[in-house]
Amino acid sequence: MVLDVYGSQNVNQAVGNIIEGKFDRIKRLPGYVNLHSYDDTTIGIIGLGGIGYHIAKSIAMTLRNVEMTLIDHEKVEDVNLNRFDIDPLDIGRYKVDVAADMLTTLNPTIRVVPFNGKLQDYIVAANMHFDLCINETDNPEVDKLIYERCHIDNEGVYLSVKYDGLREVTVHVNSIGFSSGVQVDPYTIMPSFYPSAVIAANILTLLMTKYDLDELARMKKVYKFDIFDMLKV
């Protein structure tokens, strides 16, 4: 099919043209200069739940030449299918392996490193040195560990998107919610909803169009959004 579209070009030329076409409209974005600063970076995503999965997908649809490490020890279950747009035959496979297959299909310029184990095992086996560390776990103690390893120890940008399953979204930039010595857990386990998960995940990528990597590294901020409020006209 590729050669049918691009005629006599060889496969490498054809794929190159497809990639350039894929990013052509992205280059026209007002925030492309900021977005481009995230190309060729290393990104760690810890937790491939409803939001983490869609953050990985959004990044793959937006950036090029990134190395994305996916860390999660869970397998796909039937209850994940209300948020994961995957083949039901993937039930029983590790989430990171399913995501890795999907991401490299969407964007052949990226490198995906799946780790189907617990975070503590990854810390022992490797380091947490990423340019961007995206924490999508739902455990305050794990949040603290990731924040310290990624941001404090290795000076990577720490990001985290939490939502209540329906409408309230909290985005942490180099912050995990400490206030006067009390940690606030912004994540509440509720029934999950595909549209809300996708919107919450894409807020993070939209943030990259507003702030380049250096600007984000200097920030320490918490954003709060109400998805339903966004729908008001």
Side-chain angles (χ1 to χ4, degrees):
M1 181 63 181
V2 169
L3 293 182
D4 289 342
V5 174
Y6 289 96
S8 61
Q9 297 180 35
N10 64 39
V11 173
N12 288 337
Q13 287 176 318
V15 171
N17 282 332
I18 290 172
I19 291 170
E20 288 306 309
K22 172 185 176 70
F23 290 100
D24 176 67
R25 301 295 178 92
I26 295 175
K27 290 179 181 178
R28 305 180 194 185
L29 290 171
Y32 177 70
V33 173
N34 293 334
L35 201 60
H36 183 57
S37 71
Y38 298 92
D39 289 338
D40 303 293
T41 56
T42 57
I43 300 173
I45 302 180
I46 303 96
L48 266 289
I51 298 181
Y53 168 84
H54 287 292
I55 287 174
K57 185 177 178 182
S58 181
I59 288 172
M61 293 294 290
T62 307
L63 304 180
R64 64 169 83 193
N65 300 324
V66 299
E67 179 178 291
M68 200 183 310
T69 299
L70 309 176
I71 305 171
D72 198 304
H73 68 282
E74 294 183 346
K75 295 181 179 181
V76 175
E77 301 176 354
D78 52 5
V79 294
N80 299 130
L81 297 182
N82 76 317
R83 289 157 295 148
F84 286 34
D85 45 0
I86 60 174
D87 192 324
L89 295 178
D90 285 323
I91 290 174
R93 294 182 63 201
Y94 283 105
K95 290 178 180 179
V96 293
D97 293 333
V98 174
D101 290 345
M102 178 266 297
L103 297 173
T104 51
T105 299
L106 290 174
N107 185 350
T109 76
I110 67 174
R111 178 172 180 254
V112 181
V113 182
F115 183 84
N116 55 10
K118 294 185 177 181
L119 174 65
Q120 290 83 351
D121 296 333
Y122 182 84
I123 291 174
V124 171
N127 61 38
M128 295 288 285
H129 192 200
F130 304 114
D131 297 314
L132 273 138
C133 189
I134 302 172
N135 171 27
E136 293 309 315
T137 63
D138 54 9
N139 183 310
E141 291 303 315
V142 175
D143 286 354
K144 182 179 178 182
L145 175 61
I146 296 170
Y147 176 80
E148 290 177 347
R149 279 304 181 101
C150 290
H151 183 60
I152 303 300
D153 295 347
N154 290 315
E155 299 182 343
V157 174
Y158 174 90
L159 300 169
S160 185
V161 180
K162 310 293 186 183
Y163 87 132
D164 69 352
L166 181 61
R167 61 184 294 173
E168 295 181 0
V169 180
T170 306
V171 180
H172 291 261
V173 181
N174 300 321
S175 168
I176 53 172
F178 282 104
S179 178
S180 301
V182 178
Q183 183 175 10
V184 178
D185 178 13
Y187 189 85
T188 305
I189 297 176
M190 291 180 63
S192 295
F193 188 43
Y194 176 84
S196 301
V198 173
I199 292 170
N202 281 283
I203 284 173
L204 193 66
T205 313
L206 287 170
L207 197 66
M208 296 177 186
T209 67
K210 186 172 183 179
Y211 303 105
D212 68 25
L213 183 60
D214 289 338
E215 289 175 312
L216 214 58
R218 294 192 296 268
M219 291 173 60
K220 189 178 183 71
K221 192 166 184 177
V222 177
Y223 293 92
K224 292 186 180 292
F225 303 91
D226 186 309
I227 292 173
F228 286 6
D229 281 347
M230 295 179 187
L231 302 177
K232 293 180 180 178
V233 292

